[in-house]
Amino acid sequence: MPFFLSRLLLRLSVLRTWAAPIVVIIVVFVTSWPLMALAEPSGSELIRPENYWWYFVVTAATVGYGDFFPESGGGHVVGAYVIIGGIVTLTTVFTKMASVLEQARGRRMQGSITVSASGHIVLIGYTAGRTERIVGELLADGGCAVVLCAWDEVPTHPMPEEPIDFVRGEPTESDVLRRAGVDRARTVLVDARDDNEALAIAVTVNHVNADAHIVVTLRDMAQTSLLRYVDEDIRSVQWHTPRMITEELTSPGIAEVYAELMTHGGANTYSVPLPESLGPVLVDRCRTALGRGHGATLLAARAGEQLMVNPDWRTELPAGSVLYYVSRQRLSPEQISQALRSEDASPGR
């Protein structure tokens, strides 16, 4: 009976749903109880409602505690029927579970999933080696889920070993971007194959989620002016600087700071040696003197072969050390000496 029922359900394609094991176990239960009542002696404890459901569960699951069991030959036959029905049900359940897991893995590998995450980072575009580097830096930074959205030319998940979701499709189509969760994303990186494609994708991304922090990589930074027509808040980063890209994704606005530092006429980075005549100088004195005397900010210092970025304020720099600082103008060693002496002569020193 269970085998016949399974074959019938298979022909009806019901086994493709979770209804199949439920139907099988209900039919076996409904048919076995009356049969057991007919086979067992009158007054048997086994066929009482409060006992039979327990007997059915442990027998169908092939556990067989033995606290209730049939005594007649006919009861043994019905018991075997219950065991077979349980095996058929468990086989159906395990087959369905394996199928569901395999389908889920296949959909993940093929990029046909719909992402349910929110507040995540979406990377649009894939370049072998380059994208792996960006993903590795983002995962190392931690704190945010990552989704990769690539073209149909990328047939399967390129980084299946990494804890990132993969969505495949044309990134200029809004439904593909929504499958990648762009409408709920915190940050979106457009890393396209050329600048024209990057601009087209940026328009769609902005349409789907204008509130996201959108970063676009460009080969020609002159194209930045075109992005301004889409949205003033879209940030552009040089395509050839992956490290700066990840910094902009995790620290919005940092690319603009770098751009300002590299633009003539604004703040810039400079270096200057400490005059030998000053002798050893504490970092704290250098920072204060540069800030008060010239509105400059100390970034790093080199003492011999050792480079110290953002050095501790208690560090003592030997004579001749090199200071690296941000300022609107270059400072001479004489200006540094004068600023330090003025700081030493100020009240409270």
Side-chain angles (χ1 to χ4, degrees), residues 20-318:
I22 297 175
V23 171
V24 171
I25 205 68
I26 289 176
V27 170
V28 173
F29 181 82
V30 171
T31 56
S32 66
W33 194 356
L35 291 174
M36 187 67 76
L38 291 173
E40 285 296 284
S42 177
S44 171
E45 291 290 319
L46 175 62
I47 60 175
R48 295 178 59 180
E50 64 270 23
N51 295 334
Y52 187 78
W53 75 269
W54 173 248
Y55 162 79
F56 180 85
V57 170
V58 297
T59 304
T62 68
V63 176
Y65 287 124
D67 47 354
F68 295 102
F69 54 88
E71 298 177 1
S72 66
H76 293 159
V77 173
V78 177
Y81 166 59
V82 173
I83 293 173
I84 294 172
I87 292 174
V88 170
T89 302
L90 292 176
T91 301
T92 305
V93 169
F94 292 145
T95 301
K96 179 62 179 176
M97 289 177 64
S99 175
V100 169
L101 291 175
E102 183 61 28
Q103 289 176 9
R105 182 178 182 277
R107 294 181 67 237
R108 177 179 182 270
M109 290 298 295
Q110 295 168 9
S112 59
I113 64 171
T114 297
V115 174
S116 60
S118 60
H120 55 294
I121 298 175
V122 179
L123 307 183
I124 301 177
Y126 175 75
T127 302
R130 169 187 172 82
T131 305
E132 280 83 353
R133 177 181 172 183
I134 293 174
V135 168
E137 291 182 358
L138 290 175
L139 293 178
D141 189 68
C144 192
V146 178
V147 176
L148 173 63
C149 180
W151 307 276
D152 287 325
E153 286 80 355
V154 182
T156 58
H157 198 322
M159 292 172 277
E161 71 285 352
E162 298 290 354
I164 66 172
D165 289 319
F166 171 59
V167 172
R168 186 164 60 97
E170 176 51 54
T172 56
E173 296 179 1
S174 59
D175 62 327
V176 174
L177 297 184
R178 286 190 169 86
R179 284 203 297 113
V182 168
D183 54 321
R184 302 180 305 277
R186 183 191 72 186
T187 306
V188 180
L189 171 66
V190 179
D191 193 35
R193 294 168 289 197
D194 58 63
D195 288 355
N196 290 332
E197 185 178 50
L199 294 172
I201 295 173
V203 171
T204 310
V205 171
N206 184 257
H207 171 72
V208 173
N209 186 356
D211 295 328
H213 175 52
I214 303 173
V215 181
V216 181
T217 61
L218 296 174
R219 276 77 169 174
D220 180 9
M221 292 301 288
Q223 301 286 349
T224 300
S225 60
L226 298 179
L227 287 173
R228 296 290 184 263
Y229 290 118
V230 180
D231 193 320
E232 287 287 338
D233 294 329
I234 295 178
R235 298 291 177 231
S236 56
V237 182
Q238 182 68 254
W239 189 87
H240 304 288
T241 55
R243 179 56 188 168
M244 189 180 296
I245 293 168
T246 57
E247 288 190 22
E248 177 62 29
L249 292 174
T250 55
S251 302
I254 197 69
E256 190 174 11
V257 173
Y258 285 137
E260 173 66 19
L261 290 175
M262 292 184 290
T263 301
H264 179 72
N268 208 338
T269 50
Y270 302 97
S271 66
V272 61
L274 280 172
E276 295 280 353
S277 60
L278 293 175
V281 182
L282 286 174
V283 167
D284 181 41
R285 286 182 60 204
C286 292
R287 281 189 174 141
T288 305
L290 286 172
R292 287 183 177 177
H294 301 284
T297 302
L298 180 67
L299 294 177
R302 181 181 293 278
E305 297 297 322
Q306 184 184 10
L307 176 65
M308 297 171 283
V309 178
N310 190 29
D312 187 272
W313 61 276
R314 294 164 295 185
T315 302
E316 186 176 74
L317 301 175

